Amino acid sequence: MRPFRALAGVAALIGLALAASTPAPAASPQDAPTEIRALWVLRTSLSSPDSIAELVRSAHGHGFNTLLVQVRGRGDRYYANGIEPRASDLVRQPLTFDPLASVIAAARTSGLSVHAWVNVNLVSSAADLPIARTHIVHRHPEWLMVPRDIAQELARIDQRSPAYVGRLARWTRGQDNVEGLYATPIVPAAAAHVEAVVRDIAARYVVDGIHLDYARFPSSRFDYSRSALAEFRAAVRPGLSPAVRTELDGRHRIDLFAYADGLPEEWKAFRMERMTALMTRVRAAVKAARPRALVTVAAAPDIKDAFDHKLQNWPAWLDAGLVDAVAPMAYTPEPARFAQQIAAASGVAGGGAIWAGIGAYRLTPAQTIDNIQTARRLGTAGIVLFSYDSLIDPKQTPANYLAVVGRSAFTASSAPGSQ
């Protein structure tokens, strides 16, 4: 079926990545662009003017040059006058306080780049549902992804009933590997909402980039919502032979999963294609408002896992120029595994950039420094540490963590090309 023929090319990309052991050598220092030295900054560090001032002071003082600041964490906003509800963490701040504008203003004086970090599909905690009635969890429960496990049960509940979201939330709380409630990229109205959120940020704020996270499915067992299954049926039905269409229509009368189970490869490809279509729309929205802003994405570090289980086709996004850089979240504490994941990502990057995502919260400063040097040897365009918030918390990491990393990894003697 024509909409899904890109799968063969994707499989080739995955094979190339898994076979890659040594990526192409990095450009010479005089030709190379400035190395990205970034921090993922959680929304908790944007909750007051003082915390923002300390963020900028610390990042600049320890040699970082880029901040990825989380301004859409759970379907809410850490900026002014958007189309989603203001974050409840800002309740003690005056309405005139604009976290994103404050970060940008402070960062400019210190020469730091600011990228607005937007969680794309993850829209709510399952433990604490949003208070604001205007939140999409309450306004559009039909946009929420549904796991196959309880899809049949939820299909018998009115989507507008509190029992619908309540059941989905209870199920999610019982899962170790599902972070919360996700909105689907499959339903056109849901995708349009994300596009509008990103366009609004890019149009009103002089950001250096839009950084996308959770641009993926929780697992391949999502999205079996009625809305998504109906979209799939409508998309594939016209292209089926009369015999196949008649057979699947007959099963569909009694089986919610008839089309998805009857056409499993097409179903997988369809979900991936809708995620890619959303990325295409988001990029177009960013570039229309701010042509020089980068569009980047945090990605599952294992390419096969991203493809098979997260339905996240990021190698194809790089290949098609939908994103300017990918940050594989290689949070493993094992040095060899980290090197393998970053080498594989670099092997399929083509003309796109790889920013090595380092799970510093799980590592000692020495281990983080080693990973930075490994990423450099593998020719990445930069590194991103997760996360600023954990690295300044003495309960989670050693004191002066960022200072130690900055002195060892970002001084003139340790920078690329200085040896």
Side-chain angles (χ1 to χ4, degrees):
M1 302 178 66
R2 291 186 62 188
F4 312 119
R5 61 186 177 182
L7 283 177
V10 172
L13 283 172
I14 292 174
L16 175 62
L18 295 176
S21 58
T22 306
S28 61
Q30 59 267 33
D31 296 330
T34 301
E35 177 185 61
I36 297 297
R37 301 170 180 175
L39 288 164
W40 272 299
V41 182
L42 293 172
R43 56 199 183 280
T44 50
S45 289
L46 307 181
S47 58
S48 73
D50 288 345
S51 63
I52 289 173
E54 176 59 22
L55 159 66
V56 172
R57 184 203 66 75
S58 181
H60 175 67
H62 297 134
F64 293 88
N65 58 25
T66 303
L67 301 175
L68 311 181
V69 294
Q70 191 180 56
V71 298
R72 188 195 195 226
R74 298 292 185 271
D76 51 11
R77 59 178 169 84
Y78 285 76
Y79 53 94
N81 303 322
I83 63 177
E84 296 187 301
R86 192 174 191 241
S88 58
D89 285 351
L90 302 178
V91 66
R92 293 183 178 86
Q93 298 295 332
L95 293 177
T96 54
F97 173 56
D98 184 334
L100 179 53
S102 298
V103 173
I104 292 171
R108 291 291 179 261
T109 64
S110 298
L112 298 174
S113 296
V114 175
H115 295 231
W117 166 8
V118 172
N119 283 348
V120 177
N121 292 337
L122 180 62
V123 295
S124 175
S125 164
D128 298 301
L129 293 177
I131 297 172
R133 301 312 298 175
T134 56
H135 193 283
I136 63 172
V137 163
H138 303 302
R139 291 185 64 189
H140 293 288
E142 73 277 10
W143 292 356
L144 297 178
M145 285 199 211
V146 169
R148 183 185 179 100
D149 308 57
I150 58 170
Q152 299 278 16
E153 177 184 350
L154 288 179
R156 296 190 292 270
I157 302 174
D158 183 349
Q159 290 174 313
R160 291 289 172 178
S161 166
Y164 183 85
V165 173
R167 180 66 184 102
L168 180 57
R170 286 195 304 277
W171 179 90
T172 304
R173 289 196 293 270
Q175 310 303 307
D176 293 332
N177 57 353
V178 181
E179 298 89 342
L181 305 184
Y182 281 65
T184 185
I186 294 175
V187 176
H193 178 81
V194 173
E195 179 188 358
V197 167
V198 172
R199 181 189 298 109
D200 178 51
I201 295 170
R204 294 195 291 121
Y205 293 91
V206 186
V207 292
D208 298 288
I210 298 291
H211 180 68
L212 306 170
D213 196 4
Y214 291 99
R216 58 184 185 268
F217 288 68
S219 78
S220 60
R221 295 189 67 79
F222 290 75
D223 175 17
Y224 284 81
S225 67
R226 280 171 278 176
S227 303
L229 291 169
E231 285 288 325
F232 176 60
R233 181 172 180 260
V236 300
R237 192 175 182 278
L240 299 176
S241 69
V244 172
R245 187 164 58 240
T246 299
E247 177 192 355
L248 291 179
D249 282 347
R251 288 166 52 190
H252 177 70
R253 295 188 186 97
I254 58 173
D255 182 4
L256 182 68
F257 305 147
Y259 271 78
D261 288 351
L263 302 167
E265 292 303 315
E266 291 86 348
W267 171 232
K268 177 180 179 181
F270 172 78
R271 287 176 288 169
M272 296 181 73
E273 183 186 69
R274 286 294 173 99
M275 188 66 248
T276 295
L278 176 55
M279 295 295 291
T280 303
R281 294 174 64 163
V282 166
R283 180 180 179 84
V286 173
K287 295 298 182 177
R290 207 158 295 282
R292 298 182 63 183
L294 299 179
V295 178
T296 63
V297 64
D302 182 277
I303 297 169
K304 189 174 188 303
D305 176 68
F307 185 82
D308 288 340
H309 301 297
K310 303 298 184 183
L311 306 182
Q312 183 187 57
N313 192 359
W314 64 258
W317 299 347
L318 270 175
D319 186 57
L322 297 182
V323 295
D324 301 299
V326 166
M329 297 176 289
Y331 293 170
T332 173
E334 301 175 10
R337 180 64 173 154
F338 174 83
Q340 178 189 26
Q341 290 177 335
I342 298 304
S346 298
V348 299
I354 296 296
W355 298 352
I358 299 173
Y361 72 102
R362 304 180 68 184
L363 308 174
T364 66
Q367 290 172 314
T368 291
I369 293 162
D370 286 346
N371 279 359
I372 291 172
Q373 300 300 354
T374 295
R376 287 170 172 167
R377 288 194 299 272
L378 292 171
T380 65
I383 58 96
V384 192
L385 302 190
F386 187 88
S387 67
Y388 164 79
D389 317 78
S390 63
L391 301 182
I392 63 167
D393 184 350
K395 295 179 181 178
Q396 298 188 55
T397 53
N400 300 317
Y401 194 111
L402 293 177
V404 173
V405 170
R407 283 195 301 269
S408 297
F410 301 150
T411 60
S413 61
S414 65
S418 61
Q419 306 298 321

